[in-house]
Amino acid sequence: MSKLLRVLIVEDSEDDTDLLVIELERGGYQIIYQRVETKEEMQAALEVQEQWDIILADYFLPRFSANEALDLLKENNLDLPFIIVSGKIGEDTAVAAMKAGAHDYFIKGKLTRLIAAVERELREALLRQEHRHAQEKLKYLAYYDELTHLPNQRLFIHHLAQQIKNNQLFAVLLIKLERFSKIKYSLGHAFSDKLLIAAIKRIEVCLQPQDFLARVGTDEFAILHIFEKQVRNFSANNLSLEQQAQHQAKIIHNQLIEPFQVDKTIAFSGISIGIALNSLSYEQPEQFLQAADTAMNQAKPDFVNYAVVFDKKIHQNVVKRLQLENDLQQAITNNELHLNYQAIVNLKTEQINCLEVLVRWKHPFLGLVSPGKFIPLSEETGLIIPLGQWVLTEACQQLSLWQKQFSHSLPLAISVNVSGIQLSHPELISHIDRLLQNFSLTGKHLKLEITESVLMENPSAVTKVLEQLKQRDIQLCIDDFGTGYSSLNYLRYLPIDTVKIDRCFVSQEGNDKNYDILKAIINLAHSLELNVIAEGIETEAQLQMLRNLGCEYGQGFLLAHPLNSQNVRNLIEEQFGCWYSA
């Protein structure tokens, strides 16, 4: 089967043209050709829609030459195989032509190599084309996102740098689809890709012609919003630039907060937006993007605080938080934390049943740092693992010391709070085993408190860990019960010994609804054969109410304040001194 070959022949002789065509046809080609002999004719031929495969050119023509033809190809940015077929051409001239861009040359009447040369040049042209396409794709991917075809972060930074250089008024808006990762993992990559495309279309509806949109992360988009004198129906005279940027963020939020329907499936996503204004006077474009990112991480995917404008105070808070993180790392490493203990008391006998371990941090410059500040920080950064291991180690060591000072039969246990991250850590069980063995304790000496929400996040996985703990006779307690979202069905099967009622239900003893809730929780726990601890007991009325409801144990300032180890020893001597001596 003949191969189609489209040939542009630069030749003033029709006979020589026919000889070329015949030779190519002998080589098995079906020829489509056009003969030109002037620059104007060749330019016209190059402008037609038909794509030429190869050019065969005489070196000298009355009004044109091969070198001029090569120059014309360069002017048109074309890379076509170019072979010179000339009646007379010296070696030096041929070499000069090759340097100018010709690929081969022949003497008219000596065309035995022509077919092989044509095939070779067509192959090499194809390789050059593939290389160019690869280079173009690499260049495209360097500045554009392959999925969405939006500019990427590199091109956004470049464009932003130009606006800074031009002293343009602008705002950088960084938008995050908060639930994108969960949607991707649950509904798949193909679905999430379509969701991204749908989100982009909604964002584009909100943009002004001069705005610049880019994809700068898996689920993040950046907008370079250029301010004009008139932003929609608000003028710069009666709205500040910050208000205009927030108004633009509101428009985008209202678009993206609506449910997405993709492949007949409905998906929702919370939206967080960080805003950085050019009034920050940064010199580097990356600083604006970082500021918007910092502000975005302060935003919340709700209907009120979804957009945050970056300011110096936010930056200071972030720096302080980072410093606190570093200080916490050092405090754990250098053993700068300490433990306090708060008694959990049997409400009938008023004897100490257990001591809850409370970690405290006295910062060398900040003083006492609230656990409500550094515990969440440790969970976010992963420091909860070394921190939790340290707390368990110190608490077990201290209980072992008390046991030796008083008696091995001292009827006390320690209660330690355990986070969800610790529960999922593969070394938790082995670490506890080592501690019990090293300090000559049994599982009955240890109680672990786990928040209600952690138990419900992944009940099947949590249950396996809890069952391993129960095999060691370790007591298990649901902390802050009533504030989470427990499934009573799961609660029946979890290997739990105790529920601890949150202080919010105890503190309002005069509230009839709270009383009914307390009564319901205690009755529910007893029906499941669980005992109950009420925390936050501060008044005699609260204590008496809980006793009347049948609550077994209590904790709070009325019963005992958090104490250091020495004061706990004194308390133990006071409670158990008639039985044991130091």
Side-chain angles (χ1 to χ4, degrees):
M1 184 177 179
S2 298
K3 296 170 285 187
L4 181 65
L5 187 66
R6 292 160 292 199
V7 187
L8 183 61
I9 301 176
V10 183
E11 178 60 72
D12 61 337
S13 169
E14 292 185 7
D15 291 338
D16 288 343
T17 300
D18 290 340
L19 289 174
L20 288 173
V21 172
I22 290 170
E23 188 66 26
L24 292 170
E25 288 176 340
R26 284 177 182 171
Y29 288 104
Q30 177 187 348
I31 304 301
I32 296 175
Y33 75 96
Q34 180 179 345
R35 184 179 66 84
V36 298
E37 53 183 294
T38 67
K39 180 178 180 179
E40 291 73 22
E41 289 175 351
M42 182 173 175
Q43 179 63 47
L46 294 175
E47 290 175 354
V48 299
Q49 293 297 319
E50 191 170 19
Q51 178 68 48
W52 301 106
D53 296 315
I54 195 167
I55 297 175
L56 303 179
D58 195 350
Y59 192 78
F60 292 111
L61 288 81
R63 294 180 291 167
F64 202 29
S65 70
N67 284 341
E68 290 177 299
L70 286 167
D71 290 339
L72 192 58
L73 285 180
K74 292 176 182 177
E75 291 174 11
N76 286 273
N77 197 28
L78 294 173
D79 178 17
L80 295 174
F82 193 101
I83 297 176
I84 295 174
V85 184
S86 187
K88 268 187 183 181
I89 183 170
E91 191 70 26
D92 292 342
T93 304
V95 171
M98 298 288 282
K99 289 182 177 179
H103 298 99
D104 207 342
Y105 68 94
F106 292 88
I107 302 297
K108 290 181 179 180
K110 297 181 181 181
L111 301 177
T112 54
R113 291 192 306 107
L114 179 62
I115 297 303
V118 167
E119 291 179 346
R120 181 194 68 231
E121 294 307 324
L122 291 175
R123 286 194 303 271
E124 291 187 1
L126 180 59
L127 290 175
R128 290 197 302 274
Q129 184 183 42
E130 290 174 350
H131 179 71
R132 282 196 304 273
H133 287 167
Q135 292 294 105
E136 289 170 1
K137 185 172 183 180
L138 286 174
K139 185 177 180 181
Y140 179 84
L141 293 178
Y143 292 100
Y144 290 89
D145 175 59
E146 189 173 16
L147 171 66
T148 63
H149 304 295
L150 286 177
N152 63 13
Q153 181 171 322
R154 178 181 293 182
L155 188 53
F156 183 85
I157 291 293
H158 175 76
H159 196 73
L160 178 54
Q162 294 299 314
Q163 304 306 316
I164 296 171
K165 184 178 179 181
N166 296 335
N167 294 318
Q168 179 68 52
L169 294 177
F170 64 81
V172 173
L173 283 73
L174 193 60
I175 305 163
K176 183 178 179 66
L177 304 180
E178 290 290 348
R179 297 187 66 250
F180 179 77
S181 294
K182 290 184 179 179
I183 292 171
K184 179 174 67 175
Y185 297 143
S186 59
L187 299 177
H189 287 261
F191 183 91
S192 61
D193 288 348
K194 293 178 181 178
L195 177 63
L196 280 179
I197 302 300
I200 290 167
K201 290 180 180 178
R202 293 193 186 181
I203 294 173
E204 289 176 335
V205 171
C206 308
L207 301 181
Q208 299 179 46
Q210 69 273 21
D211 289 346
F212 191 82
L213 172 65
R215 186 186 183 193
V216 296
T218 302
D219 52 5
E220 294 178 2
F221 302 96
I223 296 173
L224 180 56
H225 179 64
I226 308 299
F227 289 113
E228 291 184 320
K229 291 183 179 180
Q230 189 83 13
V231 177
R232 302 201 179 271
N233 296 323
F234 297 86
S235 69
N237 293 328
N238 55 35
L239 271 186
S240 68
L241 296 183
E242 179 177 330
Q243 289 172 318
Q244 292 179 33
Q246 288 177 325
H247 177 70
Q248 183 69 10
K250 181 179 181 180
I251 294 172
I252 294 169
H253 177 266
N254 290 343
Q255 278 285 337
L256 294 178
I257 204 66
E258 293 295 324
F260 291 88
Q261 182 168 348
V262 180
D263 295 338
K264 298 182 181 180
T265 300
I266 304 296
F268 300 82
S269 181
I271 310 299
S272 298
I273 303 176
I275 302 171
L277 300 170
N278 72 292
S279 56
L280 293 169
S281 300
Y282 290 140
E283 295 182 357
Q284 300 301 320
E286 292 85 356
Q287 293 175 294
F288 285 98
L289 196 59
Q290 180 182 349
D293 193 9
T294 300
M296 183 187 72
N297 282 286
Q298 303 298 312
K300 298 179 181 179
D302 55 25
F303 289 89
V304 180
N305 304 302
Y306 58 84
V308 172
V309 178
F310 181 86
D311 58 26
K312 300 297 183 183
K313 185 177 180 181
I314 289 177
H315 178 67
Q316 291 170 359
N317 290 338
V318 170
V319 171
K320 286 180 181 178
R321 183 178 175 83
L322 181 60
Q323 184 61 53
L324 192 65
E325 178 185 329
N326 293 333
D327 292 347
L328 179 58
Q329 172 78 68
Q330 293 298 316
I332 296 171
T333 304
N334 299 332
N335 203 27
E336 296 173 359
L337 302 167
H338 67 277
L339 298 182
N340 280 350
Y341 303 86
Q342 186 173 26
I344 297 173
V345 176
N346 185 311
L347 297 186
K348 289 184 178 179
T349 65
E350 297 187 359
Q351 293 292 317
I352 300 172
N353 170 262
C354 183
L355 293 166
E356 181 179 1
V357 178
L358 306 172
V359 61
R360 295 292 182 258
W361 179 19
K362 189 173 183 180
H363 193 281
F365 304 110
L366 302 177
L368 283 175
V369 181
S370 167
K373 182 177 291 186
F374 72 82
I375 294 296
L377 178 62
S378 71
E379 292 180 335
E380 291 175 18
T381 58
L383 290 174
I384 190 64
I385 297 301
L387 175 60
Q389 291 176 341
W390 178 85
V391 169
L392 276 168
T393 302
E394 288 292 308
C396 288
Q397 184 178 23
Q398 182 60 66
L399 181 60
S400 175
L401 181 61
W402 287 328
Q403 295 280 16
K404 292 175 182 178
Q405 290 174 337
F406 293 92
S407 167
H408 282 292
S409 59
L410 183 68
L412 274 182
I414 53 170
S415 183
V416 181
N417 286 275
V418 177
S419 74
I421 298 173
Q422 288 174 272
L423 271 184
S424 62
H425 196 271
E427 295 184 6
L428 175 66
I429 301 296
S430 59
H431 180 65
I432 290 175
D433 285 342
R434 286 194 299 272
L435 292 178
L436 295 178
Q437 181 178 359
N438 292 344
F439 296 115
S440 302
L441 300 172
T442 68
K444 292 180 180 179
H445 290 118
L446 183 60
K447 176 180 287 188
L448 299 182
E449 296 189 15
I450 305 143
T451 58
E452 184 179 3
S453 57
V454 167
L455 291 173
M456 294 302 106
E457 282 176 0
N458 191 351
S460 58
V462 168
T463 300
K464 293 179 182 178
V465 179
L466 298 185
E467 287 173 348
Q468 289 179 280
L469 294 168
K470 285 302 297 177
Q471 290 170 5
R472 291 154 174 80
D473 290 329
I474 294 171
Q475 301 174 69
L476 301 173
C477 173
I478 298 182
D479 193 17
D480 298 335
F481 188 81
T483 62
Y485 45 89
S486 285
S487 164
L488 298 182
N489 184 49
Y490 279 118
L491 194 58
R492 288 189 301 162
Y493 301 109
L494 287 172
I496 299 297
D497 303 288
T498 307
V499 294
K500 178 181 279 191
I501 301 175
D502 189 79
R503 66 180 62 250
C504 66
F505 298 109
V506 176
S507 60
Q508 303 179 38
E509 70 270 14
N511 187 313
D512 291 341
K513 289 184 178 180
N514 264 29
Y515 179 86
D516 292 338
I517 292 172
L518 277 172
K519 182 178 180 180
I521 291 174
I522 293 170
N523 289 339
L524 170 64
H526 289 166
S527 69
L528 296 173
E529 299 182 351
L530 306 175
N531 53 52
V532 182
I533 301 172
E535 64 179 359
I537 302 174
E538 298 180 358
T539 67
E540 289 288 346
Q542 292 169 355
L543 176 62
Q544 190 57 49
M545 174 186 65
L546 290 165
R547 281 173 172 164
N548 293 339
L549 291 173
C551 180
E552 292 92 341
Y553 303 101
Q555 184 178 8
F557 290 162
L558 178 68
L559 304 172
H561 283 74
L563 304 172
N564 61 30
S565 58
Q566 179 57 48
N567 289 334
V568 170
R569 177 180 173 175
N570 296 336
L571 184 64
I572 292 173
E573 289 178 341
E574 179 184 333
Q575 288 253 330
F576 303 109
C578 57
W579 300 331
Y580 312 109
S581 60

